[in-house]
Amino acid sequence: MKTSALLSIAAFASAFAVMSQAIAQSGYPNRPIRLIVPAAPGGGTDFTARTIGQHLSESIGQTVIVDNRPGAAGNIGVEIAAKANPDGYTLVMPITSFPINPSLYSNLSFDTVKDFSPIVLASSAPLLIVVNPSVQAKSVSELIALAKAKPGQLNYANSGNGTTAHLAGELLKKMAGVSIVSVPYKGGGPAVLDLIAGRVQIYFSTIPAAINQVKAGKLRALAVSTTDRVGLIQDIPTVAESGLPGFEVVGWFGIFAPAGTPKPVIARLNRDINTALRAPDTQQRFAAHGLIPGGGAPEELGKFLRSEMTKWGKLIREVGIASN
């Protein structure tokens, strides 16, 4: 190894040691931490953030303040986080459109990869394919056969341009080679109501939004969008096993810090949040809300983010989805 390379490694090690010592001397964290949620209170992102925030407050001895900043497909809250000081006292949990928006908006004021330091995957949110009971299909394979027999006559609700529900519908159409009309809605609530009323036939819903209607017989569940069956609804097959191999769509929530946040801070937060995610009460609460606990290393979240950006960017270009 060349002398210059050895000197570079030594310099990096020395800098890292100094940084670690500085973090230790500062007593991080010694004041409240702000966790920005780019969504209104009450949804899956907010629920995940508050559940983790409660545990994190207990483990670090400081209050974790959930700061809801909804708007602009989640971009408002994310922009605030990107411009915050990289000191470990501002974090962000973007909504599920985070890896999708770079392919929809050409004028983002931040770089989704370069402006953030991944900390940990917090949770994932499977989708449930539900249909109105009048639809003559009791499986994904039957739904595909019906769509092929009636091209352009079936429609699916999407809960907003570029949402996971929208992209799930487009991915189904592309992989199955069928023509199904997309009907846009301003959120999942109106979409579910119109699905029950029979104004639309298909919807990729979050589990909490649809499961009670399924149990009541007002909707029929065909499959979940994950590669594995989901805890509380083990009797419902996956899309992949019930007619469309390789299909996977999962909404997910990760926790990030502004780029440049010291690595020892990232490591401390990763460790404590992983502990929170393994707590039995966290797992029980997530399961009740149709969420799957996350976890893992910062590098794993960064790799997953980039793979999701590639996957959805390709689909958005191929089917010609544009921002509103």
Side-chain angles (χ1 to χ4, degrees), residues 271-304:
R271 182 194 70 198
D272 288 350
I273 295 172
N274 268 298
T275 299
L277 291 169
R278 290 192 295 267
D281 66 313
T282 298
Q283 303 220 355
Q284 291 169 5
R285 293 186 69 191
F286 277 18
H289 283 75
L291 298 169
I292 300 172
E299 296 78 13
E300 292 174 313
L301 175 57
K303 182 179 179 180
F304 181 53

Side-chain angles (χ1 to χ4, degrees), residues 10-223:
F12 176 81
S14 176
F16 187 81
V18 170
M19 183 170 60
S20 299
Q21 184 178 10
I23 293 299
Q25 290 175 348
S26 70
Y28 175 85
N30 55 26
R31 55 188 171 90
I33 294 173
R34 177 173 64 153
L35 177 54
I36 297 173
V37 173
T45 322
D46 182 70
F47 173 80
T48 298
R50 292 181 187 278
T51 300
I52 292 174
Q54 180 181 343
H55 275 276
L56 190 58
S57 294
E58 295 169 357
S59 65
I60 65 178
Q62 293 290 340
T63 302
V64 175
I65 301 170
V66 175
D67 183 7
N68 296 92
R69 297 296 186 99
N75 292 324
I76 290 176
V78 173
E79 180 181 9
I80 293 171
K83 295 179 179 179
N85 290 329
D87 54 10
Y89 291 97
T90 298
L91 311 176
V92 63
M93 181 183 290
I95 61 176
T96 56
S97 61
F98 187 53
I100 299 167
N101 286 344
S103 296
L104 288 177
Y105 301 92
S106 60
N107 59 345
L108 291 179
S109 61
F110 54 85
D111 187 293
T112 303
V113 173
K114 294 180 180 179
D115 288 343
F116 299 94
S117 294
I119 298 175
V120 67
L121 177 66
S123 70
S124 55
L127 299 179
L128 189 64
I129 299 185
V130 285
V131 298
N132 183 278
S134 65
V135 175
Q136 299 300 308
K138 295 185 178 180
S139 69
V140 172
S141 58
E142 290 182 4
L143 181 65
I144 292 171
L146 182 63
K148 288 183 175 180
K150 299 181 177 181
Q153 295 183 43
L154 295 180
N155 53 49
Y156 79 92
N158 83 60
S159 55
N161 192 56
T163 59
T164 49
H166 182 197
L167 295 181
E170 292 304 310
L171 184 62
L172 173 72
K173 288 165 58 177
K174 182 176 182 297
M175 291 183 65
V178 295
S179 174
I180 302 175
V181 179
S182 173
V183 180
Y185 285 83
K186 293 182 178 180
V192 170
L193 290 176
D194 269 13
L195 184 67
I196 293 171
R199 297 186 184 94
V200 288
Q201 287 90 45
I202 310 162
Y203 181 48
F204 282 82
S205 174
T206 61
I207 293 174
I211 194 62
N212 288 336
Q213 306 299 335
V214 171
K215 292 178 179 178
K218 296 181 180 180
L219 296 176
R220 180 187 302 128
L222 300 187

